[in-house]
Amino acid sequence: MRRLIPLVSALCFIGAWAASSAASDHVRFMGRDFPRAGSPAFRAERARLAALGALGADAARTRADLARNPGAPRDGADATNAWVGGGIPVTNTSFVAQFSVSAIPDGTSGVLMAWMDTRHGNLDIFSTRLTSNGDLSPGWPAAGFALSIDDSNQFSPDVESDGANGAFVAFGDIGVGGYGNVYLQHVTATGSVASGFPQNGLVVVPPGAPGFGLIDGGSSAYVSWLDATSQIRLVLITGAGAVAPGWTSAGLAIGPENPSGWPDVSAVRDGAGGGYIGWVQTDSVMITRVTSSGGFASGWSAAGLMLVDGTASGADLQLALLSNGDAMVFWSDYRNGFDTDLYAMRVTAAGGLGPSWPANGAPLCTKGGDQSLLGAVGDASGGAIGIFDTDATGLFAERIDSGGGIASGWPGTGLQLCAPISGKSSGRPVADGADGALLAWSTMGGLDYDVFAQRMASTGGIFTGWPGSGAIVSSATGAQENPEGVTDNAAGMFVMWEDSRGFFPVIYAGHVLANGVVPALASLVEAAAEPDRVRLSWYSPDGAAFVADLQRADGDAEFATIATVRADGLGHVTYEDRDVLPGHDYRYRLAIAEAGGMRYLGAVTLRVPDALRLAVAGFRPNPAAGVPSIAFSLPGRESARIEVFDIAGRRVLEREIAGAAPGERVMPLGGARLDGGVYLLRVTQGARSVSARGVVLR
């Protein structure tokens, strides 16, 4: 390691060390923080886990609750979509507290997850699997499947795929004196423990490991951990619960034993059955590559390749697999002053630094204030998108190309994903399959924490149709926190979080589509009226399985069914009503029969015009609450633009409408949330603009 560093860097090192001394009780391992055994932070965490476990101490009440609620979530045989606005609970438990969800795509457009659960009076590990519709996957119990039930507190589940629609789940237990064993459990696609694994998990790491995590190994699982000397170790466990050939149960040693400080460790699969392991060693960033045979790849060693020396802050290490099998490493750095900046370096699969890359890394973000990395995803062109949080202005993304420069079209200061926010928590970013990425986060959306999501386009802007402040995944009463997002394999994302709208916090799940829509059973897409017809469009994620009665009311008259409508294979429901009169107001809704009554969806009211004209009526309803729709009229098919301005004249929302049909229209504003207040709404088509005022209640 270089020991003679410039004076500014030395001063920054001292400042960074002083600022982080309170955090020295923690080790960051595979993106998660673990308190050091015996430290005040450890004692506080042990007390917190014990208190959480006690939330489920009323086992009799829990069993009675489970007996009362056998039907939610619904069985996978029910093809009707289970997603509802604000998300769904992933089990049918009410008097059970659930925390720390970890999730993966299940390989069939659904999601598989595990969490900490209190139903037995301490923290155990449970899991479930949901289909793309939000229904319970066949074979899985509605109350969740127990991966481990034990007298000790199990914590920090980490989930990776088993390559067969099931999952490996790693977790630890914690006692009075320190950490206990680290376990690995293998749950099959149908919700059972795989052959070769005990009911409460396989011990893979002896007591004392202060940090652990999984790397995707295909049909096997890489388990990585820190041993008592802070040595990084790695072992490969097969799907049958055995140590893989070429490996030993003691694990492959990576990096130095007992390095100065507590290393930050991150890892990613290498696309060839092995993986890249990166770590911060004192003030240097290191990386190596392992193979599935139990050794290091050609050109690599246990000591690792040094990417930067003398300026790494020792935190926020992130790795992304690139499309050509290389890796990009991101880290925080104090070379420019007392604030931490962000840098990246590409490393080749053969063990070298990226050709033409700047020495010591390319800058990702060097603006004022501290930045912290949230994650990174590779693109299809040998580059990657890094997602970061700033201490002053919110969430940002930047794309680095394969040569170490800012990708074309991306702002040099980062793409802002939402308005300035504070008190936020976020999940890992998710690749959208189109060289862009998605991110879910939680922040104050009013009196409580709500969950939002954003999609960034490959070209360096917010993806078309997504609100600039992020789509609202859940804004239910009570706090929604600590989201975890995974891809839905259709450019959208499933989001799981801890939800406190009920008696105890439990795990909820939601779905945000590629276009920023958060689906319910059926969501209104648009309604438009011409002097002789009304055109209606809804979307249901149930696809062709969705059937409903279409009901209409003329003015204040009672609703009457006028048709039975079915979605096409893509979930689109369309209807054209020609039995209308100019100058009349009509109300429309979809009706679905459910146990206990009817459910009404996608309600909309609009006026059939006497003639076509450019006009804007305002929000619908006005005043609006939450996510409003806008009512306006277009005289022709020319492209139009909708803009919303706050009372200070700042544009807070913009929508482009390309080639729209003429007529009166009502259009939801795509999941956008507006704070309470008065707004100016402007619609422009060609050289003409019209405006109206709208009010949002909060």
Side-chain angles (χ1 to χ4, degrees):
M1 305 294 158
R2 188 171 68 247
R3 287 288 166 258
L4 296 176
I5 58 178
L7 176 60
V8 171
S9 294
L11 292 173
C12 294
F13 176 80
I14 294 171
W17 175 84
S20 63
S21 61
S24 62
D25 283 348
H26 289 78
V27 57
R28 188 159 179 82
F29 197 88
M30 310 283 268
R32 303 186 296 168
D33 289 314
F34 296 86
R36 177 171 53 85
S39 69
F42 176 84
R43 291 191 292 271
E45 178 68 2
R46 187 185 66 219
R48 185 184 77 91
L49 293 178
L52 293 180
L55 289 178
D58 190 351
R61 189 180 190 186
T62 296
R63 287 193 295 271
D65 177 61
L66 296 180
R68 282 197 307 271
N69 295 278
R74 292 180 299 187
D75 188 274
D78 183 354
T80 304
N81 190 270
W83 300 119
V84 295
I88 58 173
V90 302
T91 68
N92 64 349
T93 56
S94 298
F95 296 106
V96 170
Q98 299 167 339
F99 305 91
S100 301
V101 64
S102 178
I104 56 166
D106 71 350
T108 60
S109 300
V111 59
L112 197 156
M113 67 197 79
W115 64 89
M116 301 184 332
D117 193 290
T118 65
R119 69 188 65 181
H120 293 104
N122 49 267
L123 290 170
D124 298 315
I125 306 300
F126 276 70
S127 67
T128 196
R129 181 183 174 197
L130 301 181
T131 70
S132 60
N133 280 343
D135 293 320
L136 189 65
S137 189
W140 288 74
F145 178 73
L147 299 182
S148 176
I149 299 176
D150 193 78
D151 291 338
S152 65
N153 282 315
Q154 286 88 55
F155 72 105
S156 290
D158 192 19
V159 184
E160 283 293 351
S161 172
D162 69 353
N165 311 130
F168 295 101
V169 183
F171 54 92
D173 59 21
I174 192 167
V176 174
Y179 291 104
N181 298 315
V182 174
Y183 298 83
L184 185 69
Q185 187 61 282
H186 184 188
V187 58
T188 69
T190 55
S192 61
V193 172
S195 176
F197 283 77
Q199 286 298 312
N200 286 332
L202 179 72
V203 176
V204 289
V205 179
F212 62 90
L214 292 182
I215 310 170
D216 185 358
S219 59
S220 300
Y222 288 98
V223 184
S224 184
W225 72 96
L226 289 179
D227 68 14
T229 67
S230 294
Q231 174 77 65
I232 304 168
R233 294 190 177 273
L234 184 74
V235 69
L236 184 64
I237 304 295
T238 70
V243 175
W247 296 79
T248 67
S249 59
L252 179 67
I254 297 172
E257 180 179 301
N258 197 21
S260 175
W262 289 74
D264 185 3
V265 180
S266 185
V268 68
R269 63 189 181 91
D270 66 1
Y276 292 99
I277 314 291
W279 67 97
V280 177
Q281 185 174 314
T282 310
D283 53 5
S284 301
V285 177
M286 314 295 294
I287 189 172
T288 193
R289 182 183 174 199
V290 300
T291 69
S292 59
S293 59
F296 296 94
S298 177
W300 296 85
S301 69
L305 172 68
M306 183 183 295
L307 307 184
V308 63
D309 183 20
T311 62
S313 72
D316 293 339
L317 190 67
Q318 302 284 348
L319 273 63
L321 177 66
L322 305 185
S323 57
N324 59 358
D326 291 351
M328 195 176 294
V329 185
F330 297 82
W331 68 89
S332 57
D333 197 296
Y334 51 80
R335 71 184 69 176
N336 296 320
F338 288 96
D339 296 329
T340 54
D341 297 318
L342 304 178
Y343 285 80
M345 177 64 82
R346 177 182 152 204
V347 294
T348 69
L353 301 180
S356 77
W357 277 64
N360 292 324
L364 178 75
C365 178
T366 58
K367 59 186 177 182
D370 287 320
Q371 292 90 41
S372 3
L373 284 160
L374 302 176
V377 294
D379 61 27
S381 307
I385 298 174
I387 317 291
F388 55 95
D389 180 10
T390 70
D391 61 2
T393 51
L395 302 172
F396 287 80
E398 191 69 271
R399 184 178 175 191
I400 305 293
D401 63 27
S402 60
I406 302 298
S408 176
W410 284 71
T413 55
L415 171 66
Q416 189 161 356
L417 304 182
C418 61
I421 54 178
S422 61
K424 50 195 172 292
S425 62
S426 77
R428 294 170 291 185
V430 174
D432 69 354
D435 285 352
L438 300 116
L439 182 73
W441 70 90
S442 171
T443 191
M444 291 292 288
L447 297 177
D448 299 308
Y449 281 83
D450 298 330
V451 177
F452 299 81
Q454 187 61 279
R455 183 180 179 191
M456 54 223 80
S458 61
T459 51
I462 300 302
F463 199 87
T464 302
W466 285 67
S469 57
I472 304 167
V473 181
S474 179
S475 58
T477 301
Q480 289 87 49
E481 300 178 277
N482 300 319
E484 171 85 342
V486 301
T487 180
D488 66 358
N489 292 314
M493 180 169 55
F494 299 110
V495 186
M496 283 59 60
W497 65 88
E498 297 168 11
D499 196 294
S500 299
R501 72 185 73 177
F503 195 81
F504 287 130
V506 296
I507 304 303
Y508 267 64
H511 189 193
V512 57
L513 304 179
N515 60 0
V517 171
V518 178
L521 291 174
S523 305
L524 177 71
V525 176
E526 191 175 12
E530 299 179 42
D532 63 342
R533 72 193 68 185
V534 171
R535 295 183 309 277
L536 303 155
S537 176
W538 293 270
Y539 171 78
S540 171
D542 284 329
F546 181 81
V547 181
D549 288 335
L550 173 60
Q551 297 183 341
R552 183 188 69 186
D554 187 344
D556 294 329
E558 296 295 323
F559 277 100
T561 298
I562 61 172
T564 298
V565 292
R566 296 177 180 272
D568 63 17
L570 298 177
H572 300 292
V573 179
T574 58
Y575 187 83
E576 186 171 274
D577 184 8
R578 290 178 175 265
D579 186 20
V580 295
L581 296 173
H584 283 232
D585 291 325
Y586 291 95
R587 294 178 290 147
Y588 295 88
R589 68 187 184 186
L590 299 176
I592 297 176
E594 291 188 336
M598 300 292 295
R599 177 178 288 193
Y600 300 105
L601 312 167
V604 63
T605 301
L606 71 170
R607 171 177 287 269
V608 176
D610 296 305
L612 299 178
R613 59 195 178 93
L614 181 65
V616 56
F619 291 135
R620 183 68 56 84
N622 195 10
V627 181
S629 296
I630 185 169
F632 60 101
S633 174
L634 300 177
R637 293 184 176 276
E638 196 176 357
S639 294
R641 182 172 69 256
I642 296 172
E643 298 168 286
V644 180
F645 299 87
D646 65 15
I647 197 170
R650 296 170 296 197
R651 186 169 59 195
V652 295
L653 188 145
E654 183 178 14
R655 293 285 185 274
E656 295 290 337
I657 307 173
E664 299 278 345
R665 309 165 69 87
V666 175
M667 187 176 74
L669 289 177
R673 172 188 288 275
L674 298 176
D675 293 330
V678 179
Y679 293 87
L680 175 71
L681 287 64
R682 184 167 69 194
V683 177
T684 302
Q685 190 175 47
R688 295 189 59 211
S689 294
V690 290
S691 301
R693 292 205 323 169
V695 177
V696 174
L697 301 177
R698 185 61 175 157

